[in-house]
Amino acid sequence: MKAWVVGEPGPMASGPLALVERDVPEPGPDEVLVRVEACGVCRTDLHLAEGDLQPRRPLTTPGHQAVGRVVGTGQRVGVAWLRSTCGKCRYCARGMENLCPHSSYTGWDADGGFAEYLTAPADYVYALPDDVPAERLAPLLCAGIIGYRALARCDLPAGGRLGIYGFGASAHLTAQAAIAQGATVHAVTRSAASRALALELGAASAGDRPPEPLDSAILFAPVGDLVPPALEALDRGGTLAIAGIHLTDVPVLNYDRHLFQERTLRSVTANTRADGRAYLELALAHPPRVKIAPYAFDTAAQALTDLANDQVNGAAVLVIR
């Protein structure tokens, strides 16, 4: 089979991603072999390729938004970021398996979906419908699920004002979920195309800063310099949730301007399977508009380069079969 691997991590211009031929993997006990149809391209994949996220193994295949068919049964499934947990620690016991110290992740601890086949534990894949194109399902598996958890973590009140910083794959799905709940959404992004998309999807504003105090905010852009202004834009009692796995250093905060009046700063760490099931049930019952930027499988490096240069409007997806 063909697979993309991360060789020497570095800027995309240095060519960290290589297309290789490998044997089709053998599933282990309690695993399934999945023939991949499409795989979403996530900023986490870019962090891995460029070295912001340190590789845990050599020549790893990225990709954790894979849609495909189980070999032998033909069942359509999705393979997402969370690959396994121990099921025994205190975090797993209290329903917080996303914090399991023994958790493993698709496309980081094990080869992911930038390949024609991958394996995954059967208990960690999601059943998906046959009648929806694979490229439209793929972004739901991370962009959608992580956005869903971030929306919960930011404590958005009913009818509240939500700021979304960065407007890529996850943000454009999260904005739709928030608007459907009755929220007023303000998108903060530099990209003219992203601003247009945000307004098209129902955002009340899209620009350099929100025009009114916010009840809640989510930071999707991996830029620590945005944390102080995002906190300062919060109303009293507001919450900022940082949704990414990687963030550049946060500048010094001023207590009065950024945290006083019971403003809250929170991180978002992966997701639980319960998050995944809840979001997919919601998204399949009430399908969001998924803005797709399709890429042929052989152009995965270009997809990551475009993502690095903020040239992807919506969700990039590798179409494999």
Side-chain angles (χ1 to χ4, degrees):
M1 70 170 189
K2 292 181 180 180
W4 288 93
V5 299
V6 177
E8 185 67 29
M12 287 307 300
S14 71
L17 214 61
L19 184 60
V20 301
E21 286 195 359
R22 286 179 160 175
D23 292 336
V24 174
E26 291 285 340
D30 302 318
E31 290 186 347
V32 292
L33 175 63
V34 178
R35 185 180 184 187
V36 182
E37 298 173 307
C39 187
V41 180
C42 178
R43 191 164 288 275
T44 300
D45 302 318
L46 177 62
H47 291 321
L48 182 68
E50 295 197 318
D52 296 321
L53 193 64
Q54 287 300 311
R56 290 184 168 176
R57 55 201 295 275
L59 301 177
T60 298
T61 296
H64 54 273
Q65 302 180 87
V67 176
R69 304 274 180 179
V70 175
V71 174
T73 69
Q75 181 187 10
R76 171 72 84 61
V77 297
V79 182
W81 176 237
L82 185 66
R83 177 181 172 85
S84 69
T85 57
C86 73
K88 300 176 182 178
C89 69
R90 62 179 180 174
Y91 305 103
C92 288
R94 64 190 191 206
M96 301 173 70
E97 65 180 4
N98 60 307
L99 301 181
C100 175
H102 309 290
S103 56
S104 69
Y105 299 94
T106 309
W108 193 19
D109 295 292
D111 290 326
F114 284 23
E116 294 178 303
Y117 292 86
L118 82 163
T119 62
D123 287 345
Y124 288 79
V125 302
Y126 299 95
L128 294 175
D130 292 317
D131 58 351
V132 180
E135 58 269 29
R136 296 203 168 273
L137 291 170
L140 305 180
L141 294 167
C142 179
I145 293 172
I146 291 298
Y148 179 81
R149 185 168 184 88
L151 193 56
R153 292 283 290 164
C154 76
D155 285 342
L156 179 65
R161 301 157 295 178
L162 174 68
I164 294 180
Y165 291 78
F167 206 81
S170 192
H172 94 287
L173 295 175
T174 307
Q176 293 178 73
I179 292 169
Q181 295 174 10
T184 298
V185 170
H186 299 290
V188 180
T189 175
R190 298 174 301 178
S191 165
S194 294
R195 289 180 180 183
L197 177 61
L199 295 173
E200 187 179 337
L201 294 175
S205 75
D208 294 325
R209 61 182 61 87
E212 61 178 337
L214 304 172
D215 299 301
S216 304
I218 302 172
L219 176 59
F220 287 107
V223 182
D225 286 344
L226 291 176
V227 172
L231 285 168
E232 193 169 1
L234 292 174
D235 205 349
R236 298 179 179 212
T239 297
L240 169 65
I242 299 174
I245 192 173
H246 168 76
L247 188 72
T248 58
D249 288 344
V250 178
V252 173
L253 299 177
N254 178 278
Y255 182 68
D256 284 342
R257 290 172 55 196
H258 303 132
L259 292 172
F260 193 53
Q261 302 294 351
E262 300 196 351
R263 297 182 182 95
T264 300
L265 176 61
R266 286 179 167 173
S267 65
V268 178
T269 301
N271 63 274
T272 66
R273 282 173 287 174
D275 292 328
R277 288 190 289 266
Y279 176 71
L280 290 171
E281 181 178 355
L282 175 66
L284 293 173
H286 306 283
R289 177 182 168 188
V290 185
K291 175 70 172 177
I292 297 295
Y295 288 80
F297 177 65
D298 289 347
T299 64
Q302 185 62 53
L304 285 183
T305 299
D306 289 348
L307 191 61
N309 293 328
D310 292 327
Q311 293 178 344
V312 176
N313 190 23
V317 179
L318 297 184
V319 181
I320 301 173
R321 295 190 186 278

